[in-house]
PDB file of all heavy atoms in Angstrom:
ATOM      1  N   ASN A  99     -24.862 -16.512  36.876  1.00  0.00           N
ATOM      2  CA  ASN A  99     -25.380 -16.431  38.250  1.00  0.00           C
ATOM      3  C   ASN A  99     -25.374 -17.779  38.970  1.00  0.00           C
ATOM      4  O   ASN A  99     -26.158 -17.999  39.891  1.00  0.00           O
ATOM      5  CB  ASN A  99     -26.808 -15.877  38.256  1.00  0.00           C
ATOM      6  CG  ASN A  99     -26.804 -14.369  38.227  1.00  0.00           C
ATOM      7  OD1 ASN A  99     -25.991 -13.730  38.889  1.00  0.00           O
ATOM      8  ND2 ASN A  99     -27.673 -13.798  37.416  1.00  0.00           N
ATOM      9  N   GLN A 100     -24.543 -18.714  38.532  1.00  0.00           N
ATOM     10  CA  GLN A 100     -24.516 -20.048  39.116  1.00  0.00           C
ATOM     11  C   GLN A 100     -23.347 -20.248  40.062  1.00  0.00           C
ATOM     12  O   GLN A 100     -23.246 -21.273  40.706  1.00  0.00           O
ATOM     13  CB  GLN A 100     -24.407 -21.112  37.998  1.00  0.00           C
ATOM     14  CG  GLN A 100     -25.601 -21.188  37.099  1.00  0.00           C
ATOM     15  CD  GLN A 100     -26.832 -21.709  37.831  1.00  0.00           C
ATOM     16  OE1 GLN A 100     -26.773 -22.668  38.572  1.00  0.00           O
ATOM     17  NE2 GLN A 100     -27.954 -21.031  37.619  1.00  0.00           N
ATOM     18  N   PHE A 101     -22.449 -19.289  40.140  1.00  0.00           N
ATOM     19  CA  PHE A 101     -21.225 -19.501  40.907  1.00  0.00           C
ATOM     20  C   PHE A 101     -21.051 -18.386  41.925  1.00  0.00           C
ATOM     21  O   PHE A 101     -21.049 -17.208  41.574  1.00  0.00           O
ATOM     22  CB  PHE A 101     -20.028 -19.554  39.939  1.00  0.00           C
ATOM     23  CG  PHE A 101     -18.727 -19.828  40.629  1.00  0.00           C
ATOM     24  CD1 PHE A 101     -18.481 -21.052  41.223  1.00  0.00           C
ATOM     25  CD2 PHE A 101     -17.738 -18.854  40.687  1.00  0.00           C
ATOM     26  CE1 PHE A 101     -17.283 -21.306  41.868  1.00  0.00           C
ATOM     27  CE2 PHE A 101     -16.539 -19.095  41.334  1.00  0.00           C
ATOM     28  CZ  PHE A 101     -16.316 -20.337  41.917  1.00  0.00           C
ATOM     29  N   LYS A 102     -20.913 -18.759  43.165  1.00  0.00           N
ATOM     30  CA  LYS A 102     -20.803 -17.752  44.221  1.00  0.00           C
ATOM     31  C   LYS A 102     -19.463 -17.828  44.952  1.00  0.00           C
ATOM     32  O   LYS A 102     -19.333 -17.352  46.069  1.00  0.00           O
ATOM     33  CB  LYS A 102     -21.956 -17.937  45.224  1.00  0.00           C
ATOM     34  CG  LYS A 102     -23.329 -17.644  44.629  1.00  0.00           C
ATOM     35  CD  LYS A 102     -23.425 -16.183  44.195  1.00  0.00           C
ATOM     36  CE  LYS A 102     -24.634 -15.943  43.293  1.00  0.00           C
ATOM     37  NZ  LYS A 102     -24.452 -14.748  42.434  1.00  0.00           N
ATOM     38  N   GLY A 103     -18.480 -18.507  44.350  1.00  0.00           N
ATOM     39  CA  GLY A 103     -17.161 -18.603  44.965  1.00  0.00           C
ATOM     40  C   GLY A 103     -16.242 -17.502  44.458  1.00  0.00           C
ATOM     41  O   GLY A 103     -16.687 -16.474  43.935  1.00  0.00           O
ATOM     42  N   HIS A 104     -14.952 -17.713  44.612  1.00  0.00           N
ATOM     43  CA  HIS A 104     -13.946 -16.785  44.096  1.00  0.00           C
ATOM     44  C   HIS A 104     -13.382 -17.304  42.773  1.00  0.00           C
ATOM     45  O   HIS A 104     -13.636 -18.447  42.391  1.00  0.00           O
ATOM     46  CB  HIS A 104     -12.796 -16.649  45.104  1.00  0.00           C
ATOM     47  CG  HIS A 104     -13.108 -15.708  46.230  1.00  0.00           C
ATOM     48  ND1 HIS A 104     -12.151 -15.148  47.030  1.00  0.00           N
ATOM     49  CD2 HIS A 104     -14.296 -15.222  46.678  1.00  0.00           C
ATOM     50  CE1 HIS A 104     -12.717 -14.369  47.930  1.00  0.00           C
ATOM     51  NE2 HIS A 104     -14.020 -14.395  47.745  1.00  0.00           N
ATOM     52  N   TYR A 105     -12.615 -16.438  42.106  1.00  0.00           N
ATOM     53  CA  TYR A 105     -11.939 -16.849  40.868  1.00  0.00           C
ATOM     54  C   TYR A 105     -10.432 -16.803  41.064  1.00  0.00           C
ATOM     55  O   TYR A 105      -9.925 -16.158  41.982  1.00  0.00           O
ATOM     56  CB  TYR A 105     -12.313 -15.904  39.724  1.00  0.00           C
ATOM     57  CG  TYR A 105     -13.747 -16.011  39.309  1.00  0.00           C
ATOM     58  CD1 TYR A 105     -14.708 -15.170  39.852  1.00  0.00           C
ATOM     59  CD2 TYR A 105     -14.147 -16.956  38.372  1.00  0.00           C
ATOM     60  CE1 TYR A 105     -16.033 -15.273  39.486  1.00  0.00           C
ATOM     61  CE2 TYR A 105     -15.468 -17.063  37.994  1.00  0.00           C
ATOM     62  CZ  TYR A 105     -16.407 -16.218  38.560  1.00  0.00           C
ATOM     63  OH  TYR A 105     -17.718 -16.333  38.185  1.00  0.00           O
ATOM     64  N   HIS A 106      -9.735 -17.470  40.158  1.00  0.00           N
ATOM     65  CA  HIS A 106      -8.294 -17.236  40.038  1.00  0.00           C
ATOM     66  C   HIS A 106      -7.983 -17.116  38.544  1.00  0.00           C
ATOM     67  O   HIS A 106      -8.186 -18.063  37.781  1.00  0.00           O
ATOM     68  CB  HIS A 106      -7.483 -18.367  40.665  1.00  0.00           C
ATOM     69  CG  HIS A 106      -6.016 -18.085  40.660  1.00  0.00           C
ATOM     70  ND1 HIS A 106      -5.378 -17.426  41.678  1.00  0.00           N
ATOM     71  CD2 HIS A 106      -5.078 -18.314  39.712  1.00  0.00           C
ATOM     72  CE1 HIS A 106      -4.106 -17.283  41.383  1.00  0.00           C
ATOM     73  NE2 HIS A 106      -3.892 -17.806  40.188  1.00  0.00           N
ATOM     74  N   VAL A 107      -7.526 -15.932  38.134  1.00  0.00           N
ATOM     75  CA  VAL A 107      -7.285 -15.663  36.719  1.00  0.00           C
ATOM     76  C   VAL A 107      -5.819 -15.974  36.389  1.00  0.00           C
ATOM     77  O   VAL A 107      -4.910 -15.335  36.917  1.00  0.00           O
ATOM     78  CB  VAL A 107      -7.615 -14.197  36.379  1.00  0.00           C
ATOM     79  CG1 VAL A 107      -7.327 -13.912  34.918  1.00  0.00           C
ATOM     80  CG2 VAL A 107      -9.072 -13.901  36.691  1.00  0.00           C
ATOM     81  N   LEU A 108      -5.616 -16.964  35.525  1.00  0.00           N
ATOM     82  CA  LEU A 108      -4.249 -17.397  35.204  1.00  0.00           C
ATOM     83  C   LEU A 108      -3.527 -16.416  34.280  1.00  0.00           C
ATOM     84  O   LEU A 108      -2.304 -16.334  34.289  1.00  0.00           O
ATOM     85  CB  LEU A 108      -4.275 -18.776  34.539  1.00  0.00           C
ATOM     86  CG  LEU A 108      -4.664 -19.943  35.442  1.00  0.00           C
ATOM     87  CD1 LEU A 108      -4.782 -21.218  34.605  1.00  0.00           C
ATOM     88  CD2 LEU A 108      -3.626 -20.137  36.544  1.00  0.00           C
ATOM     89  N   GLY A 109      -4.284 -15.703  33.455  1.00  0.00           N
ATOM     90  CA  GLY A 109      -3.670 -14.775  32.515  1.00  0.00           C
ATOM     91  C   GLY A 109      -3.221 -15.438  31.223  1.00  0.00           C
ATOM     92  O   GLY A 109      -2.486 -14.840  30.435  1.00  0.00           O
ATOM     93  N   GLY A 110      -3.672 -16.643  30.973  1.00  0.00           N
ATOM     94  CA  GLY A 110      -3.314 -17.334  29.730  1.00  0.00           C
ATOM     95  C   GLY A 110      -3.281 -18.831  29.972  1.00  0.00           C
ATOM     96  O   GLY A 110      -3.705 -19.322  31.016  1.00  0.00           O
ATOM     97  N   LYS A 111      -2.797 -19.544  28.961  1.00  0.00           N
ATOM     98  CA  LYS A 111      -2.650 -20.991  29.084  1.00  0.00           C
ATOM     99  C   LYS A 111      -1.204 -21.350  28.739  1.00  0.00           C
ATOM    100  O   LYS A 111      -0.560 -20.627  27.977  1.00  0.00           O
ATOM    101  CB  LYS A 111      -3.597 -21.694  28.094  1.00  0.00           C
ATOM    102  CG  LYS A 111      -5.054 -21.610  28.504  1.00  0.00           C
ATOM    103  CD  LYS A 111      -5.973 -22.174  27.458  1.00  0.00           C
ATOM    104  CE  LYS A 111      -5.970 -21.325  26.201  1.00  0.00           C
ATOM    105  NZ  LYS A 111      -7.082 -21.642  25.279  1.00  0.00           N
ATOM    106  N   ILE A 112      -0.728 -22.469  29.292  1.00  0.00           N
ATOM    107  CA  ILE A 112       0.613 -22.932  28.943  1.00  0.00           C
ATOM    108  C   ILE A 112       0.626 -23.294  27.466  1.00  0.00           C
ATOM    109  O   ILE A 112      -0.214 -24.061  27.004  1.00  0.00           O
ATOM    110  CB  ILE A 112       1.003 -24.160  29.790  1.00  0.00           C
ATOM    111  CG1 ILE A 112       1.087 -23.770  31.267  1.00  0.00           C
ATOM    112  CG2 ILE A 112       2.334 -24.750  29.314  1.00  0.00           C
ATOM    113  CD1 ILE A 112       1.319 -24.942  32.205  1.00  0.00           C
ATOM    114  N   SER A 113       1.533 -22.683  26.708  1.00  0.00           N
ATOM    115  CA  SER A 113       1.581 -22.935  25.272  1.00  0.00           C
ATOM    116  C   SER A 113       3.023 -22.871  24.780  1.00  0.00           C
ATOM    117  O   SER A 113       3.530 -21.777  24.507  1.00  0.00           O
ATOM    118  CB  SER A 113       0.718 -21.907  24.538  1.00  0.00           C
ATOM    119  OG  SER A 113       0.966 -21.963  23.161  1.00  0.00           O
ATOM    120  N   PRO A 114       3.686 -24.028  24.694  1.00  0.00           N
ATOM    121  CA  PRO A 114       5.084 -24.031  24.244  1.00  0.00           C
ATOM    122  C   PRO A 114       5.226 -23.377  22.864  1.00  0.00           C
ATOM    123  O   PRO A 114       6.224 -22.709  22.579  1.00  0.00           O
ATOM    124  CB  PRO A 114       5.423 -25.523  24.181  1.00  0.00           C
ATOM    125  CG  PRO A 114       4.435 -26.187  25.077  1.00  0.00           C
ATOM    126  CD  PRO A 114       3.194 -25.381  24.992  1.00  0.00           C
ATOM    127  N   MET A 115       4.201 -23.529  22.004  1.00  0.00           N
ATOM    128  CA  MET A 115       4.234 -22.953  20.650  1.00  0.00           C
ATOM    129  C   MET A 115       4.379 -21.440  20.696  1.00  0.00           C
ATOM    130  O   MET A 115       5.048 -20.838  19.861  1.00  0.00           O
ATOM    131  CB  MET A 115       2.951 -23.291  19.896  1.00  0.00           C
ATOM    132  CG  MET A 115       2.775 -24.753  19.582  1.00  0.00           C
ATOM    133  SD  MET A 115       3.837 -25.256  18.228  1.00  0.00           S
ATOM    134  CE  MET A 115       2.911 -24.586  16.848  1.00  0.00           C
ATOM    135  N   GLU A 116       3.691 -20.799  21.659  1.00  0.00           N
ATOM    136  CA  GLU A 116       3.750 -19.342  21.764  1.00  0.00           C
ATOM    137  C   GLU A 116       4.771 -18.906  22.810  1.00  0.00           C
ATOM    138  O   GLU A 116       4.841 -17.722  23.148  1.00  0.00           O
ATOM    139  CB  GLU A 116       2.369 -18.777  22.119  1.00  0.00           C
ATOM    140  CG  GLU A 116       1.332 -19.006  21.034  1.00  0.00           C
ATOM    141  CD  GLU A 116      -0.063 -18.607  21.487  1.00  0.00           C
ATOM    142  OE1 GLU A 116      -0.210 -17.548  22.126  1.00  0.00           O
ATOM    143  OE2 GLU A 116      -1.014 -19.358  21.209  1.00  0.00           O
ATOM    144  N   GLY A 117       5.519 -19.877  23.350  1.00  0.00           N
ATOM    145  CA  GLY A 117       6.537 -19.542  24.337  1.00  0.00           C
ATOM    146  C   GLY A 117       5.982 -19.127  25.686  1.00  0.00           C
ATOM    147  O   GLY A 117       6.616 -18.360  26.413  1.00  0.00           O
ATOM    148  N   ILE A 118       4.777 -19.610  26.019  1.00  0.00           N
ATOM    149  CA  ILE A 118       4.183 -19.267  27.310  1.00  0.00           C
ATOM    150  C   ILE A 118       4.331 -20.456  28.256  1.00  0.00           C
ATOM    151  O   ILE A 118       3.759 -21.526  28.006  1.00  0.00           O
ATOM    152  CB  ILE A 118       2.694 -18.892  27.168  1.00  0.00           C
ATOM    153  CG1 ILE A 118       2.559 -17.706  26.210  1.00  0.00           C
ATOM    154  CG2 ILE A 118       2.082 -18.559  28.532  1.00  0.00           C
ATOM    155  CD1 ILE A 118       1.128 -17.372  25.861  1.00  0.00           C
TER     156      ILE A 118
END
Side-chain angles (χ1 to χ4, degrees):
Chain A
N99 276 320
Q100 294 292 315
F101 182 68
K102 294 297 166 204
H104 280 198
Y105 292 93
H106 185 89
V107 178
L108 290 174
K111 288 174 293 194
I112 296 174
S113 168
M115 293 284 283
E116 295 172 43
I118 301 173

